[in-house]
mmCIF file of all heavy atoms in Angstrom:
data_model
loop_
_atom_site.group_PDB
_atom_site.id
_atom_site.type_symbol
_atom_site.label_atom_id
_atom_site.label_comp_id
_atom_site.label_asym_id
_atom_site.label_seq_id
_atom_site.Cartn_x
_atom_site.Cartn_y
_atom_site.Cartn_z
ATOM 1 N N GLY A 156 17.515 45.923 -21.705
ATOM 2 C CA GLY A 156 18.187 44.848 -20.981
ATOM 3 C C GLY A 156 17.837 44.827 -19.509
ATOM 4 O O GLY A 156 17.564 43.775 -18.929
ATOM 5 N N MET A 157 17.822 46.012 -18.876
ATOM 6 C CA MET A 157 17.538 46.075 -17.430
ATOM 7 C C MET A 157 16.109 45.625 -17.111
ATOM 8 O O MET A 157 15.876 44.854 -16.176
ATOM 9 C CB MET A 157 17.712 47.498 -16.892
ATOM 10 C CG MET A 157 19.008 48.171 -17.180
ATOM 11 S SD MET A 157 20.428 47.397 -16.412
ATOM 12 C CE MET A 157 21.469 47.271 -17.843
ATOM 13 N N LEU A 158 15.148 46.130 -17.895
ATOM 14 C CA LEU A 158 13.747 45.759 -17.641
ATOM 15 C C LEU A 158 13.533 44.273 -17.914
ATOM 16 O O LEU A 158 12.803 43.595 -17.173
ATOM 17 C CB LEU A 158 12.807 46.614 -18.495
ATOM 18 C CG LEU A 158 12.833 48.123 -18.211
ATOM 19 C CD1 LEU A 158 11.877 48.866 -19.130
ATOM 20 C CD2 LEU A 158 12.483 48.410 -16.757
ATOM 21 N N SER A 159 14.170 43.765 -18.959
ATOM 22 C CA SER A 159 14.074 42.330 -19.239
ATOM 23 C C SER A 159 14.756 41.516 -18.148
ATOM 24 O O SER A 159 14.290 40.429 -17.780
ATOM 25 C CB SER A 159 14.721 42.009 -20.593
ATOM 26 O OG SER A 159 14.058 42.695 -21.637
ATOM 27 N N GLY A 160 15.859 42.043 -17.615
ATOM 28 C CA GLY A 160 16.542 41.364 -16.525
ATOM 29 C C GLY A 160 15.670 41.259 -15.286
ATOM 30 O O GLY A 160 15.666 40.228 -14.602
ATOM 31 N N ALA A 161 14.915 42.334 -14.995
ATOM 32 C CA ALA A 161 13.992 42.296 -13.855
ATOM 33 C C ALA A 161 12.952 41.199 -14.060
ATOM 34 O O ALA A 161 12.613 40.453 -13.127
ATOM 35 C CB ALA A 161 13.313 43.658 -13.694
ATOM 36 N N PHE A 162 12.470 41.071 -15.300
ATOM 37 C CA PHE A 162 11.476 40.035 -15.601
ATOM 38 C C PHE A 162 12.066 38.639 -15.422
ATOM 39 O O PHE A 162 11.444 37.757 -14.794
ATOM 40 C CB PHE A 162 10.958 40.211 -17.031
ATOM 41 C CG PHE A 162 10.125 39.066 -17.528
ATOM 42 C CD1 PHE A 162 8.833 38.881 -17.064
ATOM 43 C CD2 PHE A 162 10.646 38.139 -18.432
ATOM 44 C CE1 PHE A 162 8.068 37.802 -17.512
ATOM 45 C CE2 PHE A 162 9.893 37.072 -18.876
ATOM 46 C CZ PHE A 162 8.598 36.907 -18.410
ATOM 47 N N LEU A 163 13.278 38.409 -15.946
ATOM 48 C CA LEU A 163 13.885 37.073 -15.841
ATOM 49 C C LEU A 163 14.243 36.732 -14.402
ATOM 50 O O LEU A 163 14.149 35.568 -13.992
ATOM 51 C CB LEU A 163 15.127 36.991 -16.723
ATOM 52 C CG LEU A 163 14.906 36.948 -18.240
ATOM 53 C CD1 LEU A 163 16.218 36.699 -18.967
ATOM 54 C CD2 LEU A 163 13.884 35.879 -18.637
ATOM 55 N N LEU A 164 14.649 37.718 -13.621
ATOM 56 C CA LEU A 164 14.947 37.459 -12.206
ATOM 57 C C LEU A 164 13.675 37.077 -11.453
ATOM 58 O O LEU A 164 13.683 36.175 -10.603
ATOM 59 C CB LEU A 164 15.587 38.693 -11.568
ATOM 60 C CG LEU A 164 17.079 38.883 -11.866
ATOM 61 C CD1 LEU A 164 17.511 40.306 -11.582
ATOM 62 C CD2 LEU A 164 17.919 37.895 -11.061
ATOM 63 N N PHE A 165 12.584 37.761 -11.772
ATOM 64 C CA PHE A 165 11.300 37.405 -11.155
ATOM 65 C C PHE A 165 10.875 36.008 -11.594
ATOM 66 O O PHE A 165 10.383 35.204 -10.789
ATOM 67 C CB PHE A 165 10.229 38.429 -11.535
ATOM 68 C CG PHE A 165 8.871 38.128 -10.970
ATOM 69 C CD1 PHE A 165 8.597 38.365 -9.631
ATOM 70 C CD2 PHE A 165 7.868 37.585 -11.773
ATOM 71 C CE1 PHE A 165 7.343 38.074 -9.096
ATOM 72 C CE2 PHE A 165 6.619 37.295 -11.248
ATOM 73 C CZ PHE A 165 6.355 37.539 -9.903
ATOM 74 N N LEU A 166 11.098 35.704 -12.887
ATOM 75 C CA LEU A 166 10.760 34.378 -13.405
ATOM 76 C C LEU A 166 11.630 33.307 -12.747
ATOM 77 O O LEU A 166 11.153 32.199 -12.452
ATOM 78 C CB LEU A 166 10.960 34.360 -14.927
ATOM 79 C CG LEU A 166 10.534 33.087 -15.673
ATOM 80 C CD1 LEU A 166 9.056 32.795 -15.456
ATOM 81 C CD2 LEU A 166 10.833 33.231 -17.165
ATOM 82 N N LEU A 167 12.888 33.618 -12.476
ATOM 83 C CA LEU A 167 13.767 32.684 -11.781
ATOM 84 C C LEU A 167 13.257 32.412 -10.372
ATOM 85 O O LEU A 167 13.252 31.263 -9.909
ATOM 86 C CB LEU A 167 15.189 33.254 -11.723
ATOM 87 C CG LEU A 167 16.248 32.376 -11.052
ATOM 88 C CD1 LEU A 167 16.523 31.131 -11.886
ATOM 89 C CD2 LEU A 167 17.543 33.163 -10.844
#
Side-chain angles (χ1 to χ4, degrees):
M157 307 295 129
L158 297 179
S159 299
F162 170 74
L163 288 187
L164 281 162
F165 179 76
L166 185 59
L167 181 68

